[in-house]
């Protein structure tokens, strides 16, 4: 957890995976992965997030506590190659671009592209049709926003597929 990263109520939805960072009230859970269960934006104390705190991995099988936290104590999980592989992405190499692709089930792939080949965040998000590989002369890509955190990737996948991204953390 490098710097202070502020989340807003609109950034989160149920089932997003985040990390708890509250050394004052819940030091025993600080740094743990959590699953968002609800968000209340207009609470008298500010934005409140209901969380399931994960114990040992896998995250969905070992819940140790249910807690309520102010959003200021909830931080995003930065993407890493390990997290992407656990979410079903596969590494592709086509010269200067390091991409990790996930089939969307409709003949398209969700691609996170890193033109530096050094895993530098944020990634460019690209939708590529399965038949349009980079070796084709006209390979229509759809470039979207960039993504740096796990909850952003989960939200994007949910919007595109209408289902939760399965992550074996």
């Amino acid at each position: 957890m490098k710097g202070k990263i502020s989340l807003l109520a609109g950034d989160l939805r149920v089932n997003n995976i985040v990390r708890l960072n509250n050394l004052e009230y819940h030091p025993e859970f600080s740094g743990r992965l959590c699953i968002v269960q609800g968000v209340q934006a207009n609470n008298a104390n500010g934005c409140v997030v209901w969380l399931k705190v994960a114990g040992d991995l896998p995250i969905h099988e070992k819940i140790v506590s249910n807690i309520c936290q102010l959003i200021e104590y909830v931080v995003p999980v930065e993407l890493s190659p390990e997290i992407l592989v656990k979410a079903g992405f596969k590494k592709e190499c086509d010269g200067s671009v390091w991409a990790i692709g996930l089939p969307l089930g409709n003949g398209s792939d969700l691609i996170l592209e890193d033109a530096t080949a050094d895993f530098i965040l944020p990634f460019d998000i690209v939708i590529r049709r399965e038949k349009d590989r980079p070796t084709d002369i006209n390979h229509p890509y759809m470039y979207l926003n960039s993504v740096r955190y796990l909850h952003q990737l989960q939200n994007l996948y949910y919007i595109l597929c209408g289902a939760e991204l399965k992550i074996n953390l």
Side-chain angles (χ1 to χ4, degrees):
M1 292 177 267
K2 296 173 184 156
K4 178 87 170 135
I5 297 142
S6 298
L7 287 170
L8 302 173
D11 294 338
L12 298 175
R13 63 176 186 75
V14 172
N15 291 323
N16 278 158
I17 297 172
V18 293
R19 200 174 295 280
L20 184 60
N21 187 22
N22 187 341
L23 293 172
E24 185 175 350
Y25 295 108
H26 292 289
E28 71 277 19
F29 298 141
S30 193
R32 295 256 184 125
L33 292 176
C34 301
I35 302 169
V36 173
Q37 296 301 294
V39 179
Q40 182 181 3
N42 296 323
N43 185 287
N45 296 318
C47 181
V48 174
V49 182
W50 283 267
L51 302 165
K52 284 185 179 179
V53 181
D56 297 329
L57 302 178
I59 187 171
H60 294 284
E61 295 176 14
K62 310 254 174 133
I63 302 302
V64 296
S65 185
N66 292 299
I67 62 171
C68 181
Q69 282 292 287
L70 292 174
I71 199 165
E72 65 196 63
Y73 297 113
V74 177
V75 294
V77 176
E78 195 165 68
L79 289 175
S80 67
E82 295 79 21
I83 288 175
L84 292 175
V85 168
K86 289 179 179 187
F89 283 75
K90 296 190 181 344
K91 187 174 179 181
E92 299 178 353
C93 290
D94 65 347
S96 63
V97 175
W98 191 77
I100 296 181
L102 180 69
L104 295 176
N106 61 3
S108 298
D109 292 332
L110 177 62
I111 306 293
L112 300 183
E113 230 176 45
D114 175 14
T116 67
D118 291 327
F119 200 86
I120 295 176
L121 296 170
F123 280 114
D124 290 327
I125 302 168
V126 181
I127 305 296
R128 179 183 69 199
R129 289 188 309 205
E130 183 64 32
K131 65 178 187 156
D132 299 318
R133 292 291 179 190
T135 54
D136 297 340
I137 292 175
N138 296 322
H139 50 278
Y141 287 129
M142 181 189 308
Y143 284 90
L144 302 172
N145 208 342
S146 56
V147 63
R148 172 180 215 104
Y149 301 108
L150 181 54
H151 74 279
Q152 294 171 324
L153 180 60
Q154 287 178 290
N155 294 345
L156 176 65
Y157 187 86
Y158 187 82
I159 289 167
L160 293 172
C161 298
E164 294 295 335
L165 178 61
K166 302 221 183 306
I167 305 168
N168 297 315
L169 288 178

